[in-house]
Amino acid sequence: MGSTGGSTRSAPDAAERVARRRPAGREADGYAEEATALRTGLVREIVAGGGLTDPAWRAAFEEVPRHLFVPYYYEAGDAAAAAAPPGTKTAGAAGAAEAGEVGAAHGTVGYTRLWRDDPHPLRRARWLAGAYADAPLATRVRDGELITSSSQPSLMARMLQALQVRDGDRVLEIGAGTGYNAALLAHRLGDAHVTTLDLDPEITEAARNHLAAAGFRPAVVTGDGARGCPLHAPYDRIIATCAVASIPSAWLGQCRPDALILTPLATGLIALRVADARHAEGHFLAIPAYFVPLRGSGPPPQVPTHGLPSRPLLDDSFRFLLNVAAGHMEPVEALALWEHEGRPGRERYGVTVRGERQWAWLDDPEGAYGWPLGPPGRLEPFRGLSPGAP
């Protein structure tokens, strides 16, 4: 499946888009003029890279003000501190508490905060420029650990186009983040067709406030992402902005037939076409994707590399296979498979869900190479299916 998202219904015209933005609900924005110019540059950069081929999504990125969703964010590591203007507070292993910033205890990464109301004009300018850089932004860090972020805009654009939305579709977003992605969806589809969900009430409250400041009011719900949101079901599309180890059954149960689920899994993006509440299947997109795990789902499985030469580990396609087969295949077996099958790219892999059983596969869901999703099992390829499996 390509990242352009395939065919869609006709995009809304300019009058519809203006009506959807609800400008009367926005706060006064002293950065509006400069932000518009920066946003234009960001969109131009994404288009030059092959993204935003759908005019409706291009309009959303041109018109939704990202800086309203990131009133502050964090830059990681020593490079951020070195590049910061004089007087910028940073959090190091020893001085985090005194700085009042994010900790970097026990040798973990330290962070520098940039924020919209900084009294220093150079730091404010750096904050605004960063809000419109084509880069992910760390927006919430706790005890030196990244909790939420605003994804790289070009990746967001590819994901939204791959979602293949049509006018009138109802969309559930798993992982509210800053609310920016929900705003892009609401710009395209209208507030009433978008629900965004997150486990953390602080995150949903902040997202709700950011959305209101930008003039959008989709449903913002606090709840467990793995359980979905039955209140506003059924959905035509589900998009997750956090990684899962397997596909939650509740998501399929809240989808209409022929719905599409797009979620990060094993450092990739899987696009699943839903047949019914127990069956779905689809391929990975060609692009890599690294997201924080769905909260409450536990850490991802360890990816072993023992016994491997260094050169294959530099290849993204081999590292992807290691992640797909983590816990179910020895690293040296994975290397032999990868070389024998011609170093397959991500798009040759897929996922099938059949009732309680779900697995990732290479080339063919019924073929020789498949690996169960979920907790680690036996350290060998999951080969074949029993006849009459549900």
Side-chain angles (χ1 to χ4, degrees):
M1 173 180 171
S3 62
T4 58
S7 61
T8 62
R9 297 178 190 172
S10 59
D13 60 24
E16 287 181 282
R17 293 197 300 269
V18 169
R20 287 175 178 176
R21 291 202 303 271
R22 307 181 193 277
R26 292 183 177 175
E27 297 176 353
D29 179 12
Y31 296 98
E33 184 174 352
E34 187 177 356
T36 298
L38 290 170
R39 198 157 55 246
T40 299
L42 172 62
V43 169
R44 187 181 301 118
E45 181 180 350
I46 296 173
V47 170
L52 295 177
T53 57
D54 183 330
W57 287 123
R58 178 167 180 165
F61 277 81
E62 287 173 339
E63 297 169 16
V64 175
R66 190 188 190 204
H67 67 285
L68 295 184
F69 295 86
V70 286
Y72 63 88
Y73 57 87
Y74 300 91
E75 290 187 338
D78 295 336
T88 300
K89 289 183 177 181
T90 61
E98 290 183 12
E101 299 289 340
V102 178
H106 308 297
T108 58
V109 174
Y111 290 84
T112 299
R113 187 175 78 158
L114 298 174
W115 60 306
R116 126 186 110 187
D117 297 322
D118 194 300
H120 198 295
L122 291 180
R123 291 195 292 263
R124 292 198 303 272
R126 183 174 173 83
W127 160 79
L128 186 61
Y132 288 104
D134 187 25
L137 299 175
T139 56
R140 190 174 295 262
V141 181
R142 186 175 298 153
D143 297 327
E145 179 185 357
L146 177 64
I147 301 298
T148 61
S149 63
S150 181
S151 301
Q152 183 177 7
S154 58
L155 176 59
M156 297 173 71
R158 287 174 178 264
M159 290 178 67
L160 289 169
Q161 288 206 176
L163 200 59
Q164 302 180 35
V165 297
R166 304 160 297 182
D167 290 347
D169 278 351
R170 299 182 65 85
V171 178
L172 172 63
E173 179 191 30
I174 308 294
T178 66
Y180 178 54
N181 202 55
L184 294 167
L185 285 162
H187 184 286
R188 173 67 178 84
L189 297 168
D191 292 349
H193 294 271
V194 178
T195 299
T196 186
L197 176 70
D198 205 285
L199 182 64
D200 191 327
E202 292 183 5
I203 292 174
T204 51
E205 180 64 20
R208 190 177 294 110
N209 291 338
H210 298 159
L211 284 157
F216 297 98
R217 288 177 174 78
V220 182
V221 178
T222 302
D224 184 351
R227 297 177 181 271
C229 183
L231 179 64
H232 299 137
Y235 303 102
D236 301 284
R237 301 288 186 269
I238 293 180
I239 181 171
T241 56
C242 47
V244 297
S246 58
I247 309 302
S249 59
W251 295 4
L252 272 66
Q254 293 170 27
C255 282
R256 289 192 174 100
D258 202 41
L260 190 69
I261 295 174
L262 182 67
T263 184
L265 191 154
T267 75
L269 289 167
I270 186 67
L272 292 171
R273 186 65 67 178
V274 177
D276 55 41
R278 292 175 56 81
H279 298 84
E281 190 168 276
H283 278 84
F284 281 89
L285 305 189
I287 55 177
Y290 300 87
F291 285 79
V292 295
L294 176 70
R295 295 187 67 189
S297 63
Q302 294 294 315
V303 179
T305 59
H306 55 272
L308 293 174
S310 58
R311 184 178 295 274
L313 292 172
L314 300 176
D315 193 300
D316 175 74
S317 66
F318 179 61
R319 295 197 307 273
F320 177 67
L321 172 58
L322 287 178
N323 277 274
V324 167
H328 302 287
M329 196 175 194
E330 290 286 1
V332 291
E333 293 178 324
L335 179 59
L337 185 159
W338 179 69
E339 291 178 335
H340 180 267
E341 295 298 327
R343 303 182 177 185
R346 294 164 184 265
E347 67 278 6
R348 285 177 58 185
Y349 296 84
V351 166
T352 295
V353 179
R354 290 184 186 170
E356 301 302 316
R357 183 179 233 178
Q358 49 183 283
W359 66 98
W361 39 265
L362 174 64
D363 290 332
D364 182 352
E366 311 289 350
Y369 302 113
W371 306 272
L373 299 181
R378 54 183 181 173
L379 293 174
E380 59 182 270
F382 176 72
R383 298 175 181 273
L385 302 168
S386 58

